[in-house]
Amino acid sequence: MSLLLLVVSALHILILVLLFVATLDKSWWTLPEKESLNLWYDCTWNTTTQTWACSNVSENGWLKAVQVLMVLSLVLCCLSFILFMFQLYTMRRGGLFYATGLCQLCTSAAVFSGALIYAIHPEEILEKYPRGGSFGYCFALAWVAFPLALVSGIIYIHLRKRE
């Protein structure tokens, strides 16, 4: 049982790290010049003046939805880890971790929705940038975090507390 708890906790911490990096790092979109754009603040290298040109991200509603969903996924994942630790030490023997599992499933849904919106609407989100480019590694990390959070939620729902 202790090995299973260690694996589940390690999986949860891995999901948390993936979500933090995906949400806060700077590579959701890679421009053709190999510059990266993130969800919060866009800094691109201006080759004529040899300086960084930083600006706020667009006020696009789709981008705002992605920002909200990614922050929500972080909050839900942190909450579910805290809830798991609380249930682990206070729940009676034989109890199921339904609340933790439900929180993780909601985390998975939020990550999925945010990444899907970004995948479907890149033209609207990146309207002020030149055409071309590709999705960055943070976008890929969000897609990796989605199935891991889904599996984690299912594991929590089926996990019983033993002594």
Side-chain angles (χ1 to χ4, degrees):
M1 182 65 182
S2 62
L3 179 64
L4 180 63
L5 288 176
L6 182 68
V7 169
V8 168
S9 297
L11 177 63
H12 203 122
I13 291 171
L14 173 67
I15 295 165
L16 269 171
V17 168
L18 289 174
L19 287 175
F20 268 107
V21 171
T23 303
L24 301 175
D25 210 5
K26 64 175 185 160
S27 184
W28 271 75
W29 187 261
T30 304
L31 294 171
E33 299 86 30
K34 301 297 180 203
E35 294 172 342
S36 299
L37 305 175
N38 67 16
L39 294 177
W40 308 104
Y41 205 65
D42 295 336
C43 290
T44 54
W45 181 252
N46 189 338
T47 54
T48 57
T49 62
Q50 299 295 316
T51 59
W52 286 98
C54 294
S55 64
N56 291 326
V57 294
S58 71
E59 294 296 321
N60 185 288
W62 294 115
L63 183 61
K64 297 293 181 193
V66 174
Q67 289 173 340
V68 167
L69 287 166
M70 291 306 294
V71 169
L72 179 66
S73 70
L74 267 172
V75 169
L76 286 171
C77 194
C78 290
L79 177 70
S80 65
F81 190 69
I82 292 167
L83 194 57
F84 172 63
M85 290 298 156
F86 178 75
Q87 286 180 318
L88 187 62
Y89 292 108
T90 61
M91 190 168 45
R92 289 181 299 146
R93 191 174 133 208
L96 295 168
F97 294 92
Y98 284 133
T100 303
L102 183 63
C103 245
Q104 274 300 88
L105 291 177
C106 290
T107 296
S108 177
V111 171
F112 175 75
S113 300
L116 188 63
I117 289 170
Y118 201 87
I120 292 173
H121 299 285
E123 292 86 18
E124 292 95 340
I125 292 172
L126 304 166
E127 62 193 356
K128 66 180 182 178
Y129 295 100
R131 289 249 183 239
S134 60
F135 294 107
Y137 69 90
C138 290
F139 177 77
L141 288 179
W143 278 110
V144 169
F146 157 64
L148 291 176
L150 184 66
V151 167
S152 173
I154 292 169
I155 289 171
Y156 280 129
I157 287 174
H158 291 291
L159 188 65
R160 273 191 195 278
K161 183 178 179 184
R162 296 184 192 150
E163 289 206 36

